[in-house]
Amino acid sequence: MSINKLLIFNVGTLWKHKDNYYFENSLYKFFEELSLYFEKLTVLVPVCKGKTSEHLQRLDTTRVSVLELPCYTSVGSSYKAMFRFFLNFHQHYKIHEYDCIILTEYLFPLFWYFYIKAKINKTSIIHYVRANAPVTTQKNNLFGFRKWIVRIISNMGNYSVLQLSKKTPAMVTGDELFKIFSANSAYVYKISPSSISAKDIIDKIEERSKEIGLKLLYVGRVERLKGIEILIDSIKILIQHRKLNIKLNIVGKDSRNGNYLENLKRKVREEKLNDYIEFHGHIPFGAELFRFYKKSHIFILPSYSEGRPKAIYEAMANGLGIIATNVGGIPDVINDKINGFLVSPGNVMEISDIIETLYINNELLKKIRKKALEEAIKYTREHSAQQMAKTIKIAVRESPH
């Protein structure tokens, strides 16, 4: 069966301003590249209004078309949106016009509507699993009753998709998820969507001046799952006990209601680390974000769970040394002590010790950075899109229908 028209469900909110769509999630840059391999690529996503386009990027709708879902930005708000969907929207979606639908975010109720509709229309289905949901919900920003409800929904959804993948192919990010899903199915495929282009990769690494100290960078969502409080504790040890000249920039926004970010800022103030740790909020993928990468030496990602984080590719493209936890798909990309360092989740001392080692041993840091830069070309969106297009066609051809 040839796949010419591809529909992708729920890969991130779009914002509409006048007749244009804008995005924060750089995955849309990848989909623009992926569209080159299909006659038509459409995203079926929540579309919201009211946000200015100043800090967003415009979607190229000549390459990626949009089917609008009611606005929602979280699992909770998606249940409210579901009622608006059935009142006003559901009759507009002609799933039968597409050869294949890629379904992601199975915690959202509309996942099941489109899964059933695709089955009825005999449209090929591929599941796209980006994270280990049970681990993710254990470390979310929720508390009390809401946390337990989300955890129950997450475990039920995870179990359901594991069962569905016995007969429906699944694309997963990283070896951790591959092992989980391939235990149930022979139709599991690893993919690695990337936001960086070959044009984004720098030519060479600038020498680090010892006088300016070591500049560290975190880029990503600001939430408990990402282990940022562990990173702050590591910085405290390095500043107050080991007396190192370092600075950490944290780029990203609170993915929930802002409470976690405010708690982190309070922690920094109470520990008297204001001069060494700075929060910058969300900076969209592009030149301004890349300026942060270019003026940094080390990128740190202390997450408890990940798929294949795009920020690691961005750091490699800018020649940074990388320290990241050995979770999810990260070990597929980072070869410990070769192009970066792997640490255990939640290990403050391990992170501190590696940072100190690289602070003292500039030649080791230069070697790690050079290797990361050399390998960045393997993870461009041009290469990843070509591989994912092949995977989609193989998955549909090989799997039972």
Side-chain angles (χ1 to χ4, degrees):
M1 176 183 178
S2 62
I3 304 298
N4 298 313
K5 295 180 180 180
L6 183 66
L7 181 62
I8 305 177
F9 166 74
N10 203 30
V11 285
T13 302
L14 288 175
W15 299 87
K16 192 172 185 179
H17 182 63
K18 296 182 179 179
D19 294 326
N20 295 315
Y21 296 97
Y22 297 86
F23 60 86
E24 290 180 336
N25 188 341
S26 60
L27 190 61
Y28 281 103
K29 298 297 292 183
F30 174 77
F31 291 135
E32 288 176 352
E33 193 70 35
L34 183 64
S35 69
L36 299 176
Y37 298 92
F38 299 92
E39 179 185 316
K40 183 178 183 180
L41 188 151
T42 302
V43 291
L44 174 59
V45 293
V47 174
C48 302
K49 296 179 181 179
K51 192 175 243 189
T52 65
S53 58
E54 182 181 354
H55 298 297
L56 305 174
Q57 291 196 67
R58 186 166 64 87
L59 181 69
D60 185 351
T61 50
T62 65
R63 298 170 71 173
V64 177
S65 56
V66 178
L67 280 176
E68 296 186 17
L69 292 173
C71 175
Y72 58 86
T73 56
S74 67
V75 175
S77 61
S78 73
Y79 282 84
K80 298 176 184 176
M82 180 174 65
F83 294 106
R84 298 199 304 276
F85 171 81
F86 284 110
L87 285 172
N88 302 305
F89 286 84
H90 70 278
Q91 68 272 18
H92 300 304
Y93 304 106
K94 300 176 181 177
I95 303 299
H96 64 275
E97 294 182 353
Y98 294 88
D99 304 312
C100 177
I101 180 170
I102 295 177
L103 293 170
T104 186
E105 302 293 6
Y106 50 84
L107 298 185
F108 293 83
L110 289 176
F111 169 98
W112 298 102
Y113 172 82
F114 288 109
Y115 175 82
I116 293 168
K117 187 154 185 167
K119 278 290 187 183
I120 292 171
N121 290 315
K122 295 184 169 35
T123 303
S124 295
I125 299 170
I126 300 176
H127 298 297
Y128 173 22
V129 185
R130 297 188 283 178
N132 188 339
V135 176
T136 300
T137 53
Q138 286 175 14
K139 292 289 181 180
N140 63 27
N141 295 352
L142 301 175
F143 295 95
F145 180 71
R146 289 178 66 198
K147 187 180 184 77
W148 283 104
I149 290 294
V150 171
R151 185 176 294 182
I152 291 168
I153 293 172
S154 173
N155 288 335
M156 289 173 60
N158 192 63
Y159 174 79
S160 299
V161 170
L162 280 169
Q163 297 307 307
L164 293 176
S165 68
K166 291 179 179 179
K167 296 182 179 180
T168 309
M171 298 188 300
V172 301
T173 53
D175 196 50
E176 181 182 77
L177 287 170
F178 182 80
K179 288 176 181 176
I180 293 170
F181 279 81
S182 60
N184 283 302
S185 171
Y187 309 105
V188 183
Y189 308 85
K190 280 199 288 187
I191 58 171
S192 55
S194 171
S195 52
I196 64 162
S197 168
K199 296 180 292 185
D200 296 324
I201 301 174
I202 64 172
D203 296 325
K204 62 179 182 179
I205 298 167
E206 291 186 12
E207 290 290 324
R208 170 202 167 202
S209 169
K210 291 185 178 179
E211 289 74 27
I212 64 171
L214 202 60
K215 293 185 178 180
L216 315 176
L217 179 66
Y218 167 85
V219 176
R221 297 190 306 278
V222 178
E223 60 185 11
R224 188 165 282 100
L225 176 71
K226 297 296 186 177
I228 300 171
E229 70 278 9
I230 300 300
L231 181 52
I232 292 173
D233 289 339
S234 298
I235 299 302
K236 178 185 175 182
I237 291 171
L238 294 168
I239 293 293
Q240 298 180 357
H241 300 283
R242 304 186 190 180
K243 309 301 181 183
L244 302 190
N245 180 15
I246 58 176
K247 172 74 180 285
L248 169 65
N249 288 303
I250 296 175
V251 175
K253 67 174 184 177
D254 197 316
S255 64
R256 297 293 176 185
N257 55 15
N259 290 339
Y260 182 63
L261 175 59
E262 289 307 312
N263 289 339
L264 291 179
K265 289 180 177 180
R266 187 182 307 112
K267 179 182 177 73
V268 168
R269 288 194 301 270
E270 291 172 351
E271 301 288 1
K272 296 180 171 56
L273 295 171
N274 301 62
D275 293 336
Y276 310 100
I277 299 175
E278 188 172 354
F279 295 87
H280 298 274
H282 172 71
I283 298 175
F285 180 85
E288 186 181 356
L289 178 61
F290 273 49
R291 278 194 289 273
F292 273 89
Y293 282 111
K294 286 180 171 66
K295 67 182 183 182
S296 303
H297 304 113
I298 297 174
F299 174 79
I300 306 180
L301 189 64
S303 303
Y304 290 96
S305 179
E306 285 287 353
R308 279 279 192 96
K310 299 185 293 299
I312 280 188
Y313 303 145
E314 294 164 11
M316 294 174 74
N318 285 281
L320 272 66
I322 296 168
I323 302 172
T325 43
N326 56 350
V327 299
I330 292 175
D332 297 349
V333 181
I334 300 302
N335 190 353
D336 190 33
K337 300 180 179 64
I338 303 298
N339 65 347
F341 289 87
L342 295 174
V343 297
S344 305
N347 196 319
V348 174
M349 294 306 298
E350 201 173 356
I351 294 174
S352 301
D353 290 344
I354 292 173
I355 294 172
E356 184 177 25
T357 297
L358 295 175
Y359 183 93
I360 295 168
N361 192 337
N362 202 36
E363 287 304 310
L364 176 60
L365 175 58
K366 190 189 302 182
K367 176 184 172 184
I368 293 291
R369 293 178 68 187
K370 183 179 178 182
K371 188 64 176 176
L373 182 60
E374 287 174 358
E375 295 188 0
I377 194 67
K378 297 192 297 187
Y379 303 108
T380 63
R381 63 176 180 255
E382 292 90 349
H383 177 76
S384 298
Q386 183 183 49
Q387 293 303 310
M388 184 165 168
K390 288 180 181 177
T391 299
I392 290 168
K393 292 168 185 178
I394 290 170
V396 171
R397 186 174 67 244
E398 290 184 347
S399 64
H401 301 292

